Amino acid sequence: MKKTIFGGILFLSAACLAQAQDIPVYLDETKSIEERVEDALSRMTLEEKVDVIHAQSKFSSPGVARLGIPELWTTDGPHGIRPEVLWNEWNQAGWTNDSCVAFPALTCLAATWNPDMALLYGKSIGEEARYRKKDVILGPGVNIYRTPLNGRNFEYMGEDPYLAAQMVVPYIKGVQGNGVAACVKHYALNNHEINRHNTNVIVDDRALYEIYLPAFKAAVQKGGAWAIMGSYNLYKGQHGCHNQYLINDILKGEWGFDGVVISDWGGTHNTDQAIAHGLDLEFGTGTNGLSGHTGNAYDLYYLANPYLQRIREGKVGTQELDDKVRRVLRLMFRTVMNPHRPYGSMNSESHYDAAKRIGEEGIVLLQNKNQTLPIDLGTVKKIAVIGENAIKMMTVGGGSSSLKVQHEISPLEGIRRHAQRRNVEVVYARGYVGDATGEYNGVTTGQNLKDNRSPEELMAEAMEVAKDVDYVIFIGGLNKSSGQDCEDNDRSGLELPYEQDRVIEALAEVNKRLVVVNVSGNAVAMPWAEQVPAIVQAWFLGSEAGNALASVLMGDVNPSGKLPFTFPARLEDVPAHNLGEYVGERRKDTVNVAYKESIFVGYRWTDKQKKAKPLFPFGHGLSYTTFEYGKPMADSQTMTPDGTLTIRVKVKNTGNREGQEVVQLYISDKKSTLPRPVKELKGFRKVRLAPGEEKEVQFTIDREALSYFDDQRHAWIAEPGKFEAIIASSAEDVKGKVAFELE
């Protein structure tokens, strides 16, 4: 008789079960998940049902020991597997085997514009979670980039709902192929961090459905996500973790979501709303029991004893409870009670390789005057690297995505490794002192970055180092400290911190071969852009940061990343700030924030305004080679309502080295009943071309690509009339157009 030990639970094989007598259906692998769920539910007591819908520790919820149903373990993502904390506290558990591979931040993944990279990312991080015996990864995040001040933008996938939707689906499939659930967050409208617990978002239905929900919808209907995390903010006066409109009406009603809605930690506020408005699994609630250490504090959660008491008193029934438990059981059968899921792996060579590849593909070459890059190591003798971000670890900090890594290659280390191959000397100067600390939630970097020199002394050293070298590489930007790219707070402005602008401008005067590398998850102001020949957007690149960056700078890898959001020239060019609705207006216990710009977010706003030329547009990114586009062609001049239309365009590599180009398709509705953006992204393809090679890129669009959401009819509408398919290399770099009509 074959037996399988899994997570402390004994599973009998299907063959064995066939021979056994009176084996419970919920243990029979030959039965469907729904049959097993119903059987397990029927065997649970009222108390056991209530137990499984709330936490028992910081990151786990209980199973049913009597029935052999195991615990469910979650872990923070979305860039790596969080180190272990104590059962009841945020303090580190002190394990020595919980270091991980840090993958690039999700802004970098979005900048690859490559769904294959998203699949690789999900598969790799899912393997790490599985090896650590985690059942749910709390990620990925797909909230829309509404303001460049949002401290958590680095965890998300940019400003465009179509791009985010296309990238999140393969990530989910990669994770869940390991028998680990992806928990897509933060549903919904969590677009800044200031007042995040009491911001009440006021947004019209068109913007909700066209901008802020599509990535979540794709995650559910195309990605098959097994879990969704609610948001801290409010919508229509109800918190996102128990919201009738978002959860019951849309997520579970319109989209048919059959998974679990998990609260963000501390995102539950009311027992009656949690019961009625769709929350399934409660985590992280603060209670007097937690602070007073009285008994089992988790019994004081909103979906614990208060819920049980309401049922016993006849104030509520058990219909909602059974639905919640069904969903939790379904999640368990997909994950921890699936004995056939793979074992996973941790800190493997393939994971480091994946982190490096994703980083290389996501790095964006923003500017490259006079072909300053790549650096030909065969023609230089000495390179100066300047800036704190060249040495500061970036995997620690930023909030819940902070990690404890096995190693992190700094940009300086990566550049030195590459330079040593050709005996090129690399010298370093600090340039500025930003945040010398390196600790978050008990994880420390081990770096001592204290420097008591004055800004003048630091500047003098940088100038002395920079004046007699072949290249200067300034590596600065933001970091993951509070008030920058970090959870629970936003940036105070668009400018670079720590007077970096002053250092960059001085370096541009001293050495004309200056490369500025901006490490951030957000757009920053660049008042010195005209003075600097080369600018690189490097993101937070994870464990292999230095190796990935050096590969691009030295030309081992041809950059192919494209911006997933607009770099505005000024903060006033961002609609959330232009219209004065970013921080919002305080009303008693809540802060109302009206999204007055509606659907006109990012490049949609730039196109509408026309006057506000961005510093760098959405979809922008240069290469070390050049590409030539042919004239786009459509296979027909008309499209039937139930039909499709194919757009073709030839792209040729006209340079002297291999490269990848992201061909972008935008659709323009020439006349509609309701206002529409000038154009909207509806397709993209990343194509690899050898020197002189030409390929035809095809896009097939259907009625969905032409539709807008009519808030009066509460329906997606594709109006008959004239449209344009626009082929572009960025939102500002249009290569060709082809007209067609929808019958």
Side-chain angles (χ1 to χ4, degrees):
M1 181 181 292
K2 182 181 177 182
K3 301 178 181 179
T4 303
I5 300 293
F6 186 80
I9 305 299
L10 176 65
F11 285 91
L12 303 180
S13 71
C16 171
L17 286 166
Q19 302 169 14
Q21 299 294 321
D22 300 322
I23 295 296
V25 170
Y26 73 92
L27 289 178
D28 187 349
E29 296 171 45
T30 66
K31 301 295 185 181
S32 71
I33 284 182
E34 295 310 310
E35 289 176 302
R36 298 171 73 187
V37 164
E38 291 304 320
D39 184 66
L41 181 69
S42 71
R43 298 170 187 272
M44 294 170 65
T45 66
L46 176 63
E47 292 74 16
E48 288 168 344
K49 290 178 181 179
V50 171
D51 277 347
V52 301
I53 62 170
H54 64 81
Q56 64 171 0
S57 74
K58 283 295 182 188
F59 283 98
S60 70
S61 61
V64 184
R66 180 180 64 85
L67 297 177
I69 297 174
E71 301 166 331
L72 194 71
W73 280 87
T74 69
T75 181
D76 269 315
H79 308 135
I81 307 308
R82 185 173 182 158
E84 302 296 333
V85 298
L86 296 174
W87 186 264
N88 289 325
E89 302 172 32
W90 291 111
N91 295 332
Q92 296 299 297
W95 289 21
T96 58
N97 62 346
D98 58 346
S99 298
C100 69
V101 172
F103 298 92
L106 290 188
T107 44
C108 178
L109 175 61
T112 69
W113 289 60
N114 188 344
D116 290 342
M117 289 296 103
L119 180 63
L120 175 65
Y121 197 125
K123 177 179 181 294
S124 302
I125 197 173
E127 288 171 348
E128 298 236 337
R130 176 67 191 94
Y131 188 84
R132 285 268 299 280
K133 295 181 170 57
K134 306 302 181 185
D135 308 305
V136 181
I137 290 179
L138 304 174
V142 291
N143 292 105
I144 292 297
Y145 188 108
R146 181 176 179 258
T147 166
L149 302 189
N150 180 13
R152 216 164 181 180
N153 276 336
F154 72 98
E155 288 189 54
Y156 303 142
M157 296 190 186
E159 72 183 32
D160 185 77
Y162 181 85
L163 175 62
Q166 293 301 304
M167 297 299 288
V168 74
V169 168
Y171 181 111
I172 293 167
K173 291 183 176 179
V175 169
Q176 295 186 171
N178 291 281
V180 175
C183 183
V184 184
K185 61 186 186 182
H186 301 90
Y187 183 74
L189 300 165
N190 189 170
N191 305 114
H192 63 259
E193 290 295 288
I194 289 179
N195 303 319
R196 63 179 180 166
H197 291 280
N198 61 346
T199 287
N200 181 48
V201 175
I202 301 169
V203 62
D204 61 83
D205 277 0
R206 279 201 69 195
L208 180 69
Y209 277 83
E210 292 187 23
I211 304 296
Y212 298 102
L213 293 185
F216 289 104
K217 182 179 181 180
V220 169
Q221 295 190 334
K222 296 180 180 178
W226 294 338
I228 295 286
M229 180 186 287
S231 60
Y232 283 134
N233 55 278
L234 299 89
Y235 169 64
K236 292 191 175 182
Q238 296 179 4
H239 280 93
C241 289
H242 34 74
N243 191 292
Q244 173 65 31
Y245 314 101
L246 293 175
I247 299 174
N248 285 342
D249 294 349
I250 299 174
L251 178 65
K252 295 180 177 180
E254 294 177 18
W255 300 348
F257 177 63
D258 70 353
V260 173
V261 174
I262 298 177
S263 72
D264 203 345
W265 271 232
T268 312
H269 300 270
N270 180 284
T271 295
D272 293 319
Q273 289 187 18
I275 292 170
H277 296 165
L279 179 63
D280 300 313
L281 188 51
E282 179 186 3
F283 275 98
T285 299
T287 67
N288 291 333
L290 283 174
S291 59
H293 302 288
T294 57
N296 183 3
Y298 299 97
D299 286 340
L300 302 178
Y301 273 30
Y302 293 104
L303 287 182
N305 283 352
Y307 192 3
L308 191 61
Q309 189 68 22
R310 281 166 170 73
I311 294 173
R312 287 172 173 166
E313 293 174 354
K315 294 180 179 178
V316 297
T318 58
Q319 181 178 346
E320 295 93 345
L321 176 61
D322 284 349
D323 180 68
K324 298 177 195 297
V325 177
R326 281 189 184 94
R327 292 172 181 274
V328 173
L329 288 171
R330 191 177 294 125
L331 178 63
M332 288 176 168
F333 284 121
R334 287 166 167 170
T335 58
V336 68
M337 291 187 73
N338 172 12
H340 303 294
R341 58 182 181 163
Y343 291 105
S345 57
M346 195 80 185
N347 294 313
S348 67
E349 184 178 343
S350 65
H351 292 172
Y352 284 111
D353 179 65
K356 182 171 179 284
R357 286 178 59 197
I358 295 164
E360 290 169 345
E361 279 215 26
I363 291 171
V364 182
L365 180 60
L366 295 176
Q367 184 166 288
N368 194 23
K369 297 177 182 177
N370 305 318
Q371 295 183 317
T372 301
L373 290 174
I375 299 172
D376 183 354
L377 293 176
T379 63
V380 301
K381 295 180 179 179
K382 193 174 184 179
I383 296 172
V385 176
I386 296 170
E388 181 176 279
N389 282 3
I391 58 173
K392 183 177 176 63
M393 286 183 65
M394 293 294 185
T395 53
V396 174
S400 60
S401 63
S402 180
L403 300 170
K404 181 170 121 182
V405 295
Q406 191 180 52
H407 76 246
E408 178 179 344
I409 307 299
S410 71
L412 178 60
E413 184 180 355
I415 290 169
R416 279 184 168 153
R417 285 184 179 185
H418 275 66
Q420 284 170 359
R421 299 181 309 189
R422 302 296 292 269
N423 296 317
V424 174
E425 182 183 0
V426 176
V427 293
Y428 174 73
R430 184 73 173 262
Y432 69 94
V433 175
D435 184 356
T437 62
E439 186 274 338
Y440 184 84
N441 193 212
V443 176
T444 60
T445 63
Q447 292 182 304
N448 182 5
L449 297 181
K450 289 184 179 179
D451 195 322
N452 295 322
R453 289 178 291 172
S454 68
E456 290 71 24
E457 289 174 306
L458 292 165
M459 177 77 83
E461 180 196 42
M463 296 308 107
E464 183 65 27
V465 165
K467 69 181 181 181
D468 294 322
V469 297
D470 300 295
Y471 270 91
V472 176
I473 305 173
F474 178 86
I475 303 178
L478 308 180
N479 56 42
K480 294 167 86 173
S481 304
S482 181
Q484 296 197 47
D485 281 326
C486 187
E487 181 181 356
D488 201 26
N489 215 329
D490 286 350
R491 300 163 62 195
S492 59
L494 194 62
E495 66 279 354
L496 286 173
Y498 316 126
E499 298 186 4
Q500 292 176 70
D501 291 338
R502 177 170 165 261
V503 180
I504 294 170
E505 288 167 354
L507 288 173
E509 291 293 324
V510 170
N511 196 308
K512 299 306 178 184
R513 302 190 85 182
L514 171 63
V515 179
V516 172
V517 177
N518 181 57
V519 176
S520 75
N522 259 311
V524 301
M526 297 181 179
W528 33 261
E530 290 300 319
Q531 303 166 250
V532 173
I535 306 173
V536 174
Q537 177 62 30
W539 318 109
F540 299 112
L541 297 174
S543 290
E544 289 291 303
N547 288 334
L549 178 60
S551 293
V552 171
L553 294 178
M554 310 306 174
D556 293 351
V557 170
N558 193 348
S560 62
K562 299 274 189 175
L563 290 178
F565 51 78
T566 303
F567 267 57
R570 307 172 307 157
L571 193 59
E572 306 91 84
D573 296 338
V574 178
H577 300 271
N578 182 283
L579 297 176
E581 286 287 354
Y582 156 59
V583 176
E585 180 182 355
R586 182 170 291 278
R587 296 285 183 88
K588 293 184 178 179
D589 295 331
T590 60
V591 178
N592 286 338
V593 177
Y595 287 18
K596 294 182 179 180
E597 71 278 10
S598 185
I599 60 175
F600 296 100
V601 176
Y603 68 88
R604 290 165 169 82
W605 173 262
T606 304
D607 285 348
K608 180 183 179 184
Q609 294 301 104
K610 296 181 181 177
K611 297 178 182 178
K613 185 175 177 60
L615 180 63
F616 298 107
F618 172 80
H620 170 74
L622 304 177
S623 171
Y624 295 150
T625 189
T626 54
F627 301 99
E628 183 178 276
Y629 284 69
K631 183 179 179 181
M633 306 290 289
D635 62 357
S636 174
Q637 292 182 335
T638 59
M639 176 177 161
T640 61
D642 297 324
T644 61
L645 187 72
T646 299
I647 311 295
R648 296 178 172 85
V649 63
K650 290 183 178 180
V651 183
K652 184 177 182 179
N653 183 344
T654 53
N656 57 10
R657 63 175 295 166
E658 182 182 78
Q660 295 188 89
E661 171 69 332
V662 178
V663 184
Q664 300 162 39
L665 170 70
Y666 297 83
I667 296 294
S668 177
D669 188 348
K670 305 312 292 182
K671 186 178 181 181
S672 62
T673 302
L674 297 180
R676 299 199 69 178
V678 173
K679 63 180 183 293
E680 296 179 282
L681 184 72
K682 294 298 179 181
F684 61 89
R685 297 284 186 276
K686 195 163 195 175
V687 56
R688 183 182 295 274
L689 296 167
E693 184 179 10
E694 183 178 69
K695 288 183 179 177
E696 184 177 80
V697 177
Q698 293 187 12
F699 299 97
T700 299
I701 58 173
D702 57 15
R703 182 173 178 167
E704 182 180 347
L706 312 181
S707 299
Y708 64 85
F709 188 79
D710 188 323
D711 52 352
Q712 296 301 312
R713 290 191 271 179
H714 198 80
W716 287 92
I717 304 298
E719 285 185 320
K722 295 180 179 180
F723 291 82
E724 254 182 358
I726 301 169
I727 298 296
S729 183
S730 79
E732 296 280 301
D733 188 5
V734 173
K735 301 297 186 180
K737 303 177 181 179
V738 57
F740 65 94
E741 281 195 47
L742 175 66
E743 291 181 347

